[in-house]
Amino acid sequence: MRTTVGIIGAGPAGLLLTRLLHNAGIDSVVLESRDRAYVERRQRAGILEQGTADVLRAAGAGARMDREGLRHDGIELRFDRRRHRVDFPALTGGRSVMVYAQTEVCKDLIALQLAEGGPLLFEAEALAVEDVGTDAPRVRFRHEGREDVLECEYVVGCDGFWGVARKAIPAELVQVFERTYPFGWLGILADVPPSHDELVYARHDRGFALLSMRSPSVSRLYLQVPDGTDAEAWSDEAIWDELERRFETADDWRLERGPITQKSVTPMRSYVHEPMRHGRLFLAGDAAHIVPPTGAKGLNLAVGDVVTFARALAHRQETGSPELLDAYSETCLRRIWQAERFSYDMTTLLHRAPGATGFEDRLQLARLDRIASSRAAETDLAEGYTGFPFG
């Protein structure tokens, strides 16, 4: 099998990339190790930056998002029983975010690919990426019980942190930067309308809490818990009681309870792999970087990566110049490190570290009070949350 771009992974990054390439007249093949049902039901991020939503619309994948997604023009910060709303459009020249689950993005892109695009092979496990230092890289993969080879001009690894693509970059060329946090998020899905019409980020002496949603009838909520917590060790009643404590306000706001349909614990870490390109191999999304979910940046960073690659390859096809492809890693990493900074700042602003002192608690409250009282500080948060420009 032969193509111009071999894409490993049919998450949102790989699926959007093949769509962008299709629209630019560049052929590609997508290899996905899981079956279609798994890809379309795995729960991941649900906040799309302004730039991500715009890219999906321009790619022809925004119609259902615009019908069913929930545009949000701000978030609420809670601390010391106070409430402060950050108004995104007023601070950013009209930018907002969209609540639309990653599962739904994948469904939309899969439907488009199967109807209009090139090959999308499910249950096709990539085994190795070879010859990336040449102009004819290869992906060895297993599909329908037999091994095969995908011959390419370029390979893009959108196969996540545990994928094979990153392993094709020689270890002596690699620098890794990472931080592991001593807490995680206990997340729940609940069949109850959200108790607020925008996301609520709460800093409390007992730990962080987040009120989010999947739809007007389904709530998504999170609690900061110690690293290694077993989700099943928390009863439904204990979860609701703790959420109620951490969202407490000085007014008459109330948290609505409902049946919990899913609970899980997400670990928190920051990770960046440099470089993101070696020869004809390019890394995108979680294959190259991970952020704690506090800043809602993971999916949006992956979109930035594939937009950068698609633009660079189209430029190469049109002009013959490899300049933008050669700059891929540097271009992506500028945006990635800004998102890492923003996610780290949000995480340390809102989570109480184990053993935190009274001094550290007061600093957190002072930082939050600064955001609530300074338009400059508030604008910095709003600009970061709604998204940094694509390279």
Side-chain angles (χ1 to χ4, degrees):
M1 185 180 295
R2 184 183 296 274
T3 190
T4 301
V5 182
I7 301 170
I8 308 174
L15 291 167
L16 177 59
L17 176 57
T18 194
R19 180 66 183 175
L20 295 174
L21 295 174
H22 170 79
N23 290 348
I26 302 170
D27 62 294
S28 64
V29 173
V30 183
L31 306 176
E32 167 56 46
S33 63
R34 303 283 193 161
D35 62 26
R36 179 178 178 179
Y38 178 89
V39 174
E40 293 188 336
R41 71 170 180 264
R42 57 185 166 193
Q43 293 291 330
R44 293 292 189 274
I47 305 295
L48 308 183
E49 295 173 353
Q50 178 76 58
T52 296
D54 290 344
V55 165
L56 289 170
R57 293 184 186 106
R64 192 164 72 93
M65 174 190 72
D66 284 330
R67 287 197 311 271
E68 301 178 13
L70 306 173
R71 173 181 162 139
H72 280 202
D73 287 335
I75 58 172
E76 183 173 288
L77 299 175
R78 291 194 185 177
F79 58 100
D80 207 20
R81 302 183 71 213
R82 295 167 55 189
R83 305 171 64 179
H84 176 75
R85 182 176 184 267
V86 179
D87 185 332
F88 293 154
L91 296 163
T92 64
R95 296 170 68 83
S96 62
V97 297
M98 181 76 75
V99 176
Y100 191 63
Q102 176 175 311
T103 50
E104 306 309 313
V105 173
C106 287
K107 289 175 187 176
D108 296 342
L109 290 168
I110 287 171
L112 281 172
Q113 182 70 6
L114 295 178
E116 304 174 9
L120 167 54
L121 305 182
F122 291 104
E123 299 180 87
E125 179 187 7
L127 303 173
V129 182
E130 302 170 340
D131 300 330
V132 297
T134 74
D135 60 2
R138 301 150 39 97
V139 182
R140 286 195 297 107
F141 67 99
R142 182 183 295 112
H143 184 236
E144 295 180 343
R146 67 177 185 274
E147 287 196 19
D148 204 343
V149 174
L150 177 61
E151 298 178 344
C152 321
E153 295 179 30
Y154 305 91
V155 176
V156 182
C158 304
D159 51 344
F161 183 78
W162 302 106
V164 301
R166 192 173 65 245
K167 299 174 184 176
I169 300 180
E172 63 270 19
L173 302 180
V174 171
Q175 282 188 291
V176 168
F177 306 88
E178 58 186 327
R179 179 186 181 92
T180 301
Y181 298 86
F183 42 74
W185 279 9
L186 170 61
I188 64 167
L189 277 176
D191 285 338
V192 60
S195 299
H196 194 60
D197 56 2
E198 294 178 332
L199 273 69
V200 177
Y201 288 78
R203 185 269 173 204
H204 193 276
D205 286 343
R206 297 175 64 90
F208 168 74
L210 171 62
L211 186 158
S212 184
M213 63 281 295
R214 281 292 178 262
S215 73
S217 61
V218 177
S219 293
R220 183 75 159 148
L221 302 106
Y222 298 93
L223 285 170
Q224 176 188 344
V225 293
D227 185 40
T229 294
D230 177 7
E232 297 306 319
W234 282 72
S235 70
D236 292 3
E237 183 178 9
I239 290 171
W240 286 117
D241 287 347
E242 190 63 24
L243 286 166
E244 201 164 75
R245 289 188 194 99
R246 297 189 193 183
F247 286 125
E248 182 183 20
T249 64
D251 59 18
D252 59 356
W253 182 90
R254 293 180 56 83
L255 178 69
E256 298 298 328
R257 302 187 179 204
I260 295 176
T261 59
Q262 183 186 109
K263 63 177 82 166
S264 61
V265 172
T266 301
M268 305 277 281
R269 64 187 303 226
S270 302
Y271 173 91
V272 180
H273 178 286
E274 297 184 9
M276 291 174 58
R277 180 242 178 136
H278 176 60
R280 293 292 187 99
L281 170 65
F282 299 76
L283 303 180
D286 286 359
H289 45 77
I290 294 171
V291 289
T294 323
K297 288 284 164 268
L299 167 61
N300 297 291
L301 281 181
V303 169
D305 295 344
V306 299
V307 167
T308 300
F309 176 81
R311 287 175 179 171
L313 184 55
H315 180 75
R316 172 65 185 266
Q317 302 285 75
E318 293 165 5
T319 68
S321 169
E323 178 184 6
L324 297 185
L325 284 172
D326 291 344
Y328 171 80
S329 187
E330 180 183 354
T331 301
C332 290
L333 285 167
R334 281 198 299 269
R335 186 171 189 267
I336 288 159
W337 276 112
Q338 286 300 320
E340 291 282 356
R341 174 197 61 80
F342 177 78
S343 299
Y344 173 82
D345 286 350
M346 287 284 284
T347 300
T348 57
L349 174 69
L350 295 163
H351 293 73
R352 193 171 194 275
T357 65
F359 180 83
E360 291 165 320
D361 290 339
R362 285 290 191 269
L363 283 181
Q364 279 186 320
L365 292 172
R367 289 169 66 192
L368 285 159
D369 189 60
R370 173 69 176 168
I371 292 167
S373 60
S374 164
R375 186 176 179 86
E378 193 178 26
T379 298
D380 185 61
L381 187 154
E383 289 179 345
Y385 200 96
T386 55
F388 302 103
F390 297 144

